[in-house]
Every structure is written in structure tokens, then in C-alpha cells.
Amino acid sequence: MHRHEARNLHYDLRIEAGGVLACWAVPKGFSYLPADKRLAVRTEDHPLEYESFEGSIPKGQYGAGTMRIWDAGTYEVRKAKGIAQALEKGELKLELRGRRLRGEWHLVRTRQEQGKNWLLFKARDRYAGSGSDLFAGADMSRAVQKPLPRRLTRMEAEAGEKPFDDPDWLFEPAFPGRRVLARVEDTQVSLQAGAEDLSGRLPAITKALAGVRARTALLDGILVALDSGGRPSEQALTQELEQGGAAGSTGSGVVLYLFDLLYAEDWDLRGLPLRERKAALRGLLPDSGRLQLLEPVAERGQALASAAGESGLAAIVAKRAGSAYRAGVSKDWLRIPVSAAPKGAKAEPARRRKAADALPVAISNPRKVYWPEQGYTKSDLVGYYDQVAGFLLPYLRDRPLHLYRWPDGVRGKSFYQKQLPEELLSQLATVDVARDGEEPVLYAMCNDRQALLTLVNSGSIDLHPWFSHQGSLDSPDWAVLDLDPKEAPFSSVIKIARQAGRLLRGLGLEPYLKTSGSTGLHVYLPLKPGYTFEQSRMFCEAVARLLVRDHADIATVERAVSRREGRVYIDFMQNRREQTVVPPYVVRPVEAASVSMPLEWDELETDFRLADFTLLTSPKRLERVGDLFRTALSRPQDLAPAIEALGRQL
């Protein structure tokens, strides 16, 4: 399966048949929902060499654009003697075994367009569900293809001392219960608790595990039962196990909280970072009340510890987000005791507790309305930033910061501020941004949650960090194209963003996309150290001018609004020292209270609106998709080969 950015983005499904590749163009991609019938247009056969092709097809040639392998694997024909017979009949039932696409898929020829139009849809099997990627976008590149291990030693937590906050760690409540390894092999399910298999005593959970969206899987989790007060209880679990775990027995029944995925389908996932294993786990779980994903809390160990103590739990578990799954006791997992609630305090049921509790700053004027139309207050804004701090702080840390302060909300007066007053600056980490030989000039930085909430409490709705960081202020970490519509239709912004992504991928780069949170879109490139602002600006200018050359009817590099004539302004001038673009996840001072939100490139093909991502809705999206920019932080890119390739195009 190729992801093909030609005139329009589509996917090319290629099936080896009779010494060639039978091909279909799939404009809207794949869906695991059987009810979604996707158009698949039969195209000409391709030579087998196309199976491994990735790169750019020059303009003017057939299929001009950028092609990347989106998925690859093997297939087996169902209910036909072979692929030739199925093609002739016009009905293919294929068992696909890729990394993204698994299970049975159907291709059925229609009478439209002389039989060129086919319908592609998912069969109703164990893989059917939601999404277009079985593993929910997890980076599976480090997964190793090998048989399901017959024996395995669990990873165990080392004893920790006290709760802490750290953006590189995830935190989970340590529920009292029984740790189990759940093994799924087709219809066979086991629940291994040490030497004992509990599957026979827990038929409801065993049945739910049989519905996992994988033929083979190995999952790590803990069996939990709630007492009559809604709190996890080992006594309630023991009673449930003695009575067979059936619904309706004493307590509320047994639930299996799953927190790790060690193996799925053909792949050993133990070498993947924990955050990727959790993403894959989220994609495989069926909709079942008996199976629950144990959602971690990012960064905020102290808040979770406080909530856990009030709920009557004895400990939390801290896990390094980038850690592999290793046998035995590991320093990457820490079991940390928590303080119990004071005597006489009423503990809330665990199922109703949330981790967000006391803020590390006192909010001034918390009821002041910042967004009159929605009624959102200053307290709502501070609460949002408290929720997303773990996602936002990596894009702020160690960077000089400009503030855009709106002390009376979005309909009040506002002002930019680079050098903060002493009473505010004294509460923050600072960096001297003066050039050599100049008098010191101190700018604030936002390096932790308390600093973030202090700045928001001061009236700053969004934040504007530099493209460079402390210790390397003259060398940018990002190159950015700001697509500003002003009077242009947003459909033109989407088209230019799509073409920018296609062009940059054709140059061998991996661009990232986000909304501006206001009216446009931002295209980001993470840069390897050593480039100057002049080099990044010149590269972005060349890209912008190439886009304008090919799309002069809807794009311009004209800075004067009066001369843009309804075209999208491709702004490359922000790539300078001291210039800023808002980072991901900040709220913008606009009437919709919208958020600058990272996007999957394929989302450009959907009917999304900028107003879909707001102060209210964005935390839920982050719970679902995570930080789509996270790989940019660890994968800086080299511009030199791209500059050479760009020169050839110019």
C-alpha cells in the first residue's frame, strides 16, 4: 500500500498477481468499519519493482508526486482458486497480513466507469472496528517479527521513595488486585497469575479477551474487583474468584485493567517505547466493560499520588515513557507509596476520581470571564493548561519567551511583552538573549508546570517561544512555514498545506502539521543542530516560492495584505532570531477559544474545522491520539540533502 501524493492524496493498493502488481487507487483510504464502502479505482498493472518503490515521480510523468510505503505484507485469497480467478470474477476476498491492515478485506467490481470502479470494505471479523490503522498510529518500526513467546518473565517495579513530576514519565494508580498475563491465541485464552490459570474462573473476562482485535496477543494487566463502596478491594476480588467471577455475585464483578501490550499478531513489541505500546494497546481493545485500558497520567505524579491517597490507594506506579519492557525488576518502573487521606476524610470511589486536583499556583480573579460568548473563565483557562502541561512543556522548555497578555479576556485590551516586570520575572527561569558585547537582556523561560500556570495567571492566553533554545540561541531547532489566509478561503490553505507536505516529503524530509489555532496552518520541520537562521529562512523561502510558482492562483509571498488578492500568504519570514510562532497546544485569544492542534496529514482530507479544537475539546483529543508532534523532538532532520534536491527542482 502506497501513500501517493499526486494531484490529490490517495492510496494505491497493489496485489501481486501473475507476475505483475494489480493496482487500485483508493481516494479515501481504508476503514475498519465494515459499513464503510470505499471507492477503489482499478488502474493499470505495474511491474513488481514498484513493490519497494519510494520517492518522487517528476512533474509531467504519469503519477507525478511523492510516494511512500504505507503498509506491506502478504495476502491469501479466500473463496476462490487463485487471484486470477478472483480478478476475472470481479470479487476479491483477501486475507491481508500487514502491519496496519489485517484480516479479511473485500474488493467488488461495479458496473460504473466500464468496470473500473470497485468497492473496498472490511469483512466482519475479529479485526473489524474503528480507524484505518489496527495499531492506532503506534510507531511499529522497532517491533521484531518473531513467534509468540511460550514463557515470559514479567517486568516489575523497583521501590520508589516519594511522588514526583517529570514530563518523561507516566503515572498509574496501583490498584489492589492480582497481576496477570493475558494470552490470546485465536479462540484460546489464558489468564496467567504466576503458575495458576484463572481463565476458567472468569468466563466473562475470558470471553471479552477472545474479542481482542488480534489473533495472537500477550497483554499485561491487573484483575480488580470493587467493594460496595466502589473502591478496589482484594477481599472483593478473592470472593469473586471463589464464586467464579460471574456478574451478579458479591461486589460489582471483576474488571481486567490492561496497561501494557507485549506481543500482537506477528510482532514482539517489548522493544518499543512504553508510549507506543500503550497506543497499540488502545487500538486492539474491544468495546467491553470487562476490559479497561489503565490510562496513565503524563508528568503529574504528585497530583495522582494525592488523588490516589484520597481514594484509599496505597501506591502509584511511575513508568518511564520511553522505556522498553524488560524482564525482572527495573528502575524504569517505580512503585511509590502515597500518604493516606486524613482520618475522618471521606474517600471518593476510585471509579469517580480524576487525577487533576490542586493547582500549584493561586489563581487571581478565577471567575473573570475571558470568553463572554462561551462563558469560559480565567479558571477554565488555567485548568486547561494544567491538564495539557505534560504535552506543551517540551515545546517551551529552555526557550526565550514572549507573552501576549489579555488581562480582561479576548474582548479587552491586550499587549505583547518581551521583557517582563521584575515581580513576574523573579518567579521564573531566565536567559540572557543579548548578543556578544551587548548589555544583558533577560527573557523569561517556561520550564515547568508552575512557571506555565504563573504566566497564564498573569493574563497571557497564549505563549510565544523562540525557535532556538538556551545555549544555542543563534541556531534554530525548527523551520516553519506559516500559511496565513486572511481573506483567502480555508480550502486554499488546505490545498497549499497538502502541496507543501508533498513537496517536503519529496525532498526526503518529514514535515509536521498543526493548526495555528487562529485562521491558518503551520508546517514544521525539526532541524539538526548547526544551521543558522539565515539558512533555515532561505530554505523556507525557496520552498515558498516554488509553491507559489506552481499555485500562483491561490498562493503568494506578498506581505502586503492589499496585494494578496484573496490568496494564501506563505510566510517564511518568521524564521529569524527573536521571531516566534505559537507552539502546539496553546489556546489562542480568539472568540472560539481554539487551540493550536497538531494534525495527521490525512486529516487534511476530512471535513475538519479549526473550531473543532478548543479549550474544552482538546484534552479529550489528546487522550485519544496523544502528542502527534512527539517524534519531532527526537528526530531532527538534516537540510543539506534537501537543499541539494530543492536546487534541482528550482
Side-chain angles (χ1 to χ4, degrees), residues 81-362:
K81 292 182 179 179
I83 188 68
Q85 183 189 72
L87 282 169
E88 183 179 355
K89 185 180 178 182
E91 184 177 4
L92 279 70
K93 296 182 178 180
L94 305 175
E95 182 79 20
L96 300 184
R97 301 189 183 100
R99 290 200 182 210
R100 297 177 186 265
L101 300 181
R102 306 286 291 187
E104 187 172 322
W105 295 75
H106 294 180
L107 270 166
V108 179
R109 185 168 55 216
T110 72
R111 295 179 180 178
Q112 297 176 344
E113 298 295 324
Q114 291 80 47
K116 288 186 177 181
N117 287 0
W118 296 54
L119 292 178
L120 170 69
F121 55 94
K122 184 74 188 69
R124 296 184 184 277
D125 58 14
R126 71 183 307 147
Y127 299 98
S130 60
S132 60
D133 179 344
L134 182 63
F135 294 109
D139 182 356
M140 298 281 287
S141 59
R142 288 159 61 180
V144 179
Q145 194 164 8
K146 60 167 56 173
L148 178 68
R150 305 315 308 172
R151 301 183 65 182
L152 183 142
T153 301
R154 298 184 318 204
M155 188 168 179
E156 303 287 354
E158 187 176 275
E161 295 182 359
K162 61 181 182 179
F164 61 93
D165 291 349
D166 191 312
D168 295 327
W169 288 71
L170 304 175
F171 300 88
E172 300 168 353
F175 290 136
R178 291 194 69 175
R179 178 100 173 264
V180 293
L181 286 177
R183 180 185 294 267
V184 178
E185 296 179 82
D186 283 324
T187 59
Q188 300 299 311
V189 174
S190 65
L191 281 170
Q192 209 68 34
E196 186 179 7
D197 183 0
L198 301 178
S199 57
R201 288 198 265 170
L202 297 171
I205 287 179
T206 301
K207 181 179 179 181
L209 282 167
V212 165
R213 297 173 68 191
R215 290 191 188 280
T216 54
L218 190 59
L219 311 98
D220 200 348
I222 185 166
L223 294 168
V224 175
L226 304 181
D227 63 18
S228 58
R231 290 174 290 271
S233 164
E234 290 195 42
Q235 183 179 358
L237 178 61
T238 300
Q239 194 169 16
E240 288 280 355
L241 291 173
E242 289 175 351
Q243 297 183 17
S249 60
T250 304
S252 303
V254 180
V255 174
L256 175 55
Y257 281 91
L258 293 161
F259 52 75
D260 217 328
L261 179 64
L262 316 185
Y263 187 95
E265 293 293 274
D266 302 322
W267 293 284
D268 188 332
L269 309 187
R270 287 174 289 177
L272 269 59
L274 174 61
R275 66 170 68 90
E276 303 300 339
R277 301 198 304 274
K278 283 187 175 290
L281 175 60
R282 184 177 289 108
L284 294 191
L285 289 188
D287 185 11
S288 167
R290 292 292 184 171
L291 305 180
Q292 296 291 326
L293 179 66
L294 186 56
E295 290 281 6
V297 173
E299 182 187 3
R300 297 193 59 198
Q302 294 183 67
L304 180 61
S306 176
E310 291 178 19
S311 296
L313 299 180
I316 63 171
V317 179
K319 298 180 178 180
R320 197 181 298 275
S323 63
Y325 191 99
R326 299 183 178 90
V329 177
S330 171
K331 293 181 179 179
D332 289 331
W333 287 15
L334 302 174
R335 182 182 173 87
I336 301 171
V338 301
S339 300
K343 286 187 177 181
K346 185 177 180 181
E348 283 189 64
R351 59 190 170 196
R352 297 178 187 171
R353 289 290 296 141
K354 293 186 178 180
D357 286 286
L359 299 174
V361 299

